[in-house]
Amino acid sequence: MKALSFLSLILLLTGCGKKGAGTDPEPPLPPALGSLREAAFPFGAAVNVNLMRSTTAYQQVVTREYRSVTAENAMKFRSLHPDAATYTWSDADYLVQYARQNNSRVHGHTLIWHNSLPSWVTNFQGDSAAWENLMKTHIQTVVGHFRGQVASWDVVNEAVAEDGTLRPSPWRQHLGPDYVARAFQYARQADPDAKLFYNDYGHEYGPTKRTAILNLVNGLKSRGIPIDGIGLQLHTNINRSDANLAAAITTAAQTGLLVHISELDVAVNPDNQAGLTLTSALQTAQKAKYKLIVQTYNALPATQRFGITTWNVTDADTWVRGYCSCPDWPLPFNDQYQKKPAYDGIVEGLQ
Ligand code: G3I
């Protein structure tokens, strides 16, 4: 990049390359990236293990573009620990083996969350000591199983409610508000090397939830609780303001922790219109948001750029369509697994 800046300076000073009187020459874009694997920080995707196993085209996109993978569902509590005495590792182990064979990183999602809990947990009738043992045993069994294979974990996911209070999850109710800190301590005991993240959504909604999350994270850090990073899900859309999107990213970096944009998608149908069609205007708006997000993230200190992970791979497998029961096209690859203008926005954001 330095060579390019120098070249641009020469062009500027000698007047070469001017497009017209008084116009600065646009610096030439560096050669297009062969794939997102070449970016300065890891790009990743949350992957569906069934599709990884069954659909070659799906796995080919993942392998070509991404050097980090997150299990969309295979490492959640209900998937790994369906009964008190039963752990089912096969799907998660498949993904870890895929990553090892393809020089990719695995980000673990997620140890403690109020969703995706098996009924034996939601119906658990133990006292607080029994609940503490339940949480500790799950965390340390799972993190221990993947030690040395999973680089990082969303230790606690979505503990903060939209109004900024601590969500009244079963964990909060049975273990008290400080369960978050203890979850990190249990995870650190099980793997001294894994990077431990607090993950949540809504940082870009505005200051209420964002400030509450930052207060929680900074509080843990100031107490010496072993937290390494902050995950911003950024399930966002074309109507979110650039200012709020940028503030979400820059305020997270002010914690001094690793910053992971952990579940990125940019919906183009935020009003859930049943009959919406994907127009070039919507694609252009989506490209601009991806570029803004990547550009802002790329400007963070390199030591804090843990990576950007999209949630799912292509529009054909996005969670958004099922969630809103509406058409949407939130990802950089379309239903035919081809790059969209959104992908170009990511590449331009990396310049
Ligand atoms: O595997 C079962 C299947 O056996 C059963 O027949 C079927 C019908 O009940 O359900 C299947 O499980 C579903 C699972 O996805 C796998 O497809 C669950 O019902 C369904 O709730 C689950 O949805 C996932 C959701 O998290 C809840 O875990 C979505 O795929 C996943 O994209 C979504 O991801 C979350 C992140 O983990 C956290 N941040 C928000 C994000 C989007 O909601």
Side-chain angles (χ1 to χ4, degrees), residues 202-211 232 234 236-237 239-252 289 292-293 296:
H203 300 253
E204 80 282 15
Y205 291 179
T208 302
K209 183 167 180 177
R210 178 166 69 230
T211 304
L232 295 71
L234 282 192
T236 194
N237 64 65
N239 290 344
R240 293 289 177 197
S241 73
D242 288 359
N244 267 330
L245 286 165
I249 297 165
T250 55
T251 54
K289 289 301 178 192
L292 180 278
I293 291 163
T296 306

Side-chain angles (χ1 to χ4, degrees), residues 235-237 265-276 312 315 317-330:
H235 289 293
T236 194
N237 64 65
D265 41 33
V266 180
V268 297
N269 187 11
D271 300 327
N272 305 342
Q273 298 173 53
L276 190 72
N312 305 123
D315 291 339
D317 48 276
T318 178
W319 71 283
V320 173
R321 290 177 179 174
Y323 182 71
C324 73
S325 301
C326 69
D328 212 321
W329 304 268

Side-chain angles (χ1 to χ4, degrees), residues 72-73 76 78 109 113 157-158 233 235 263 311 319:
E72 181 183 17
N73 290 299
K76 290 174 178 173
R78 185 165 61 198
H109 175 83
W113 186 28
N157 189 43
E158 302 177 9
Q233 294 182 12
H235 289 293
E263 307 187 14
W311 201 254
W319 71 283

Side-chain angles (χ1 to χ4, degrees), residues 101-112:
Q101 292 169 345
N102 290 279
N103 189 28
S104 294
R105 180 184 73 185
V106 180
H107 176 71
H109 175 83
T110 179
L111 295 171
I112 296 298

Side-chain angles (χ1 to χ4, degrees), residues 222-236:
S222 65
R223 290 164 57 194
I225 299 298
I227 179 171
D228 302 296
I230 180 170
L232 295 71
Q233 294 182 12
L234 282 192
H235 289 293
T236 194

Side-chain angles (χ1 to χ4, degrees), residues 184-207:
F184 278 86
Q185 291 170 323
Y186 296 147
R188 172 60 74 240
Q189 287 162 10
D191 186 342
D193 302 318
K195 299 300 182 189
L196 306 181
F197 284 78
Y198 174 76
N199 194 56
D200 214 326
Y201 66 89
H203 300 253
E204 80 282 15
Y205 291 179

